[in-house]
Amino acid sequence: MSAEDRRYLNIALIAIAAITAIRVAVLVLSPLDLYPDEAQYWWWSQNPDWGYFSKPPMIGWVIWLTTAFFGDAEWAIRIGSPLLHALTALFVFGIARRCFDARIGMFSALAYLTTPGVSYSSGLISTDAPLLFFWAMALYAFIRAMDDPRWRWAILGGIAFGLGLEAKYAMFYLLLCAGVAALLSKDARKVVLSGRGFAILVIGLLLLLPNVLWNAAHHFPTVAHTEHNADWSAAKYSVSETLSFIGGQFGVFGPVLMAGLLIAFWQLGRGPERSSKSLVLAAFCAPPLVLIVIQSFISEANANWAATAYVAAVPLAVAALAGLWKSRLLWLSFAIDGLTMVVLWLILLSPSFADDIGLGNAFKRMEGWQQLGDAVADEAQSGHYALISAANRSIMAELLYYAAPRTAFVRMWDKDLHDDDHFQMTLRLTPPAHRVLMVVSPQEAPTVLNSFDSNTLADTVTVPIGGHHIRVTQLYDARDYRGPQTSR
């Protein structure tokens, strides 16, 4: 590495370290409770396994590791996210340096770290953080393998591919992207259609094998859940959903950076001097975007479902913006995305700020759970209950974390014998259950209480949450549970 390249790397390292340190400090100081999915992932981490109902096991492993070092506080559960994004930014630097130069690498690392999607993701723990880390590692290894025939890069790529699959099945997009890259680039083709390409595939699938065996032993719940999310059986063919998803990508990636990506694709489409590595970046960006756009038209798609596209998209967009108007558009992108990052920090530190700027609804599911957990724990202790039960996954997950100290077992009420989530699969409420502290929303209460012989309202917990809403939860002394009534 030249002295100039090292200088750009050092600048990137300092900036990444500073941003990450602030993010960790904000997590430590934030009063926001765990989002229901976060509480569920924490519960998974208490029972390390090769798989879980709705996701592969990596998210549970990450939380198990961070909480083993730092304890079970909310920030300790979430800290893996900003740390993984920081490491991903370093791989983005390496990718951009190999495809362009170290200056573009520095800007790309900072652009990745400050995209609105990553800024938001760094404030909570989700499967996207490990997925993007392993995707960036795999892409870096692939690009290195294009220039270097040594097997080390194929082995690294295979490990990254396999561990990425253990984070989220969206890692399978990598195979499609590599195939498209092989069509566009002779250098990529030499990797894909070789023993090294086969090794990447085999190593990755071998690392996924334990999760496949776990799924087989549990009737493939993760695969079924993934199919349910796609929901092609209830096709809508909605243009408005597609436009909404596309608009959301400008928010996730940043409006100016997205404009830069479109400019980069336009330049690749018309430019006679297209570098092999730029085409490879396009190949690792476009397919996930196209697939999820199609998904949004057929059914629906969350804004983060195309997240893997943006690891390769960042260097393409940064290089395009850096070449226009003396990089002014690139600096505008940093200004907008940096401001968004600071606003998110302020919301994490003071959730009322979200209400002040009209974003309270976006954070309401991260508020009020501690109060509910305290009320349930107090009622369970004073009423000498042996069982606590919830009727939906969100409340169940939050009770497992916040209803402490627990003097009663927590179980999941289920209307039938079909497993709809991890709690129904592993912690289902079953007869005989003579006395249960049933925790339900008012909407759920009539259906749920009908499965007991008798019930008495013990308490109503009313908690203010974001968007000037309130969450009302009822606690019932429910007697003699009759069990699931039907199966489907």
Side-chain angles (χ1 to χ4, degrees):
M1 183 180 290
S2 68
E4 183 179 21
D5 283 9
R6 189 168 296 280
R7 180 169 67 89
Y8 283 122
L9 174 59
N10 288 337
I11 294 171
L13 285 172
I14 292 169
I16 290 169
I19 292 172
T20 303
I22 294 173
R23 283 177 169 164
V24 171
V26 168
L27 287 183
V28 172
L29 297 172
S30 175
L32 285 173
D33 295 336
L34 294 179
Y35 188 82
D37 283 353
E38 294 179 292
Q40 175 181 252
Y41 300 152
W42 169 81
W43 179 251
W44 291 354
S45 77
Q46 305 301 294
N47 305 275
D49 207 339
W50 287 108
Y52 302 100
F53 182 88
S54 59
K55 298 288 189 300
M58 183 60 68
I59 187 66
W61 297 350
V62 169
I63 297 173
W64 174 86
L65 182 62
T66 61
T67 54
F69 280 99
F70 304 115
D72 289 319
E74 289 93 342
W75 68 267
I77 294 168
R78 291 168 169 154
I79 196 174
S81 187
L83 296 181
L84 284 169
H85 281 307
L87 294 174
T88 304
L90 292 178
F91 276 116
V92 171
F93 173 91
I95 292 165
R97 175 175 172 263
R98 288 282 164 180
C99 294
F100 301 103
D101 56 44
R103 175 175 172 269
I104 298 300
M106 176 194 69
F107 285 133
S108 295
L110 299 183
Y112 169 83
L113 206 61
T114 57
T115 58
V118 169
S119 291
Y120 180 79
S121 176
S122 295
L124 70 163
I125 188 70
S126 74
T127 54
D128 286 338
L131 170 68
L132 292 175
F133 169 68
F134 290 118
W135 183 280
M137 182 191 294
L139 178 54
Y140 177 75
F142 187 88
I143 289 171
R144 290 300 303 267
M146 289 169 58
D147 297 325
D148 188 341
R150 288 177 294 181
W151 278 85
R152 65 177 65 175
W153 302 115
I155 293 171
L156 179 64
I159 292 171
F161 176 49
L163 294 180
L165 289 172
E166 294 284 15
K168 202 171 183 178
Y169 294 154
M171 193 73 187
F172 272 121
Y173 294 151
L174 193 85
L175 298 180
L176 174 61
C177 294
V180 174
L183 294 174
L184 298 177
S185 165
K186 179 177 68 175
D187 294 329
R189 195 154 52 246
K190 290 178 180 178
V191 176
V192 173
L193 302 179
S194 70
R196 292 179 295 154
F198 184 70
I200 292 172
L201 176 63
V202 171
I203 292 171
L205 294 180
L206 284 175
L207 288 174
L208 180 64
L209 182 60
N211 177 250
V212 174
L213 295 177
W214 181 92
N215 266 277
H218 294 81
H219 309 292
F220 293 98
T222 318
V223 176
H225 177 79
T226 303
E227 291 176 352
H228 175 75
N229 277 350
D231 199 22
W232 282 18
S233 61
K236 300 176 183 177
Y237 305 112
S238 171
V239 174
S240 63
E241 287 282 350
T242 302
L243 293 176
S244 176
F245 172 77
I246 293 172
Q249 299 314 291
F250 282 82
V252 169
F253 195 50
V256 181
L257 212 55
M258 180 60 80
L261 179 61
L262 296 176
I263 292 169
F265 279 129
W266 178 73
Q267 290 173 340
L268 284 172
R270 64 184 291 274
E273 300 180 0
R274 298 174 294 184
S275 74
S276 176
K277 289 188 174 66
S278 292
L279 290 173
V280 169
L281 288 180
F284 277 82
C285 171
L289 279 173
V290 171
L291 284 176
I292 304 302
V293 166
I294 293 171
Q295 164 66 30
S296 69
F297 174 68
I298 295 175
S299 179
E300 61 181 18
N302 294 336
N304 67 319
W305 284 8
T308 54
Y310 295 124
V311 171
V314 168
L316 281 173
V318 166
L321 294 175
L324 295 173
W325 297 298
K326 298 182 179 180
S327 301
R328 289 189 180 93
L329 283 178
L330 180 59
W331 287 108
L332 176 62
S333 177
F334 280 125
I336 294 173
D337 293 350
L339 177 62
T340 302
M341 180 173 65
V342 171
V343 168
L344 286 170
W345 288 345
L346 293 174
I347 290 172
L348 290 174
L349 291 171
S350 179
S352 62
F353 180 65
D355 283 328
D356 295 339
I357 61 175
L359 295 177
N361 275 332
F363 296 88
K364 66 185 180 182
R365 296 192 71 194
M366 300 168 75
E367 297 179 280
W369 299 115
Q370 180 70 68
Q371 294 96 311
L372 175 62
D374 290 344
V376 171
D378 290 345
E379 181 64 32
Q381 188 170 23
S382 63
H384 304 290
Y385 289 88
L387 287 171
I388 302 169
S389 184
N392 72 66
R393 183 178 64 88
S394 294
I395 292 179
M396 179 72 178
E398 301 290 356
L399 290 182
L400 286 168
Y401 184 77
Y402 285 112
R406 279 199 302 276
T407 57
F409 294 105
V410 182
R411 292 292 182 264
M412 184 73 179
W413 181 90
D414 185 16
K415 66 181 178 181
D416 52 41
L417 294 175
H418 184 272
D419 294 334
D420 295 313
D421 56 51
H422 193 80
F423 301 128
Q424 290 183 5
M425 186 174 76
T426 60
L427 294 174
R428 179 184 276 116
L429 178 66
T430 57
H434 300 299
R435 187 163 180 255
V436 180
L437 179 59
M438 197 70 228
V439 184
V440 292
S441 69
Q443 294 77 21
E444 297 166 334
T447 299
V448 173
L449 298 174
N450 191 48
S451 63
F452 293 86
D453 282 347
S454 64
N455 65 85
T456 303
L457 180 65
D459 194 10
T460 297
V461 182
T462 302
V463 181
I465 55 176
H468 306 289
H469 297 290
I470 59 171
R471 180 185 296 120
V472 178
T473 311
Q474 295 175 328
L475 280 54
Y476 282 89
D477 181 341
R479 304 293 180 103
D480 297 317
Y481 178 55
R482 293 190 297 273
Q485 301 302 298
T486 62
S487 70
R488 55 182 171 87

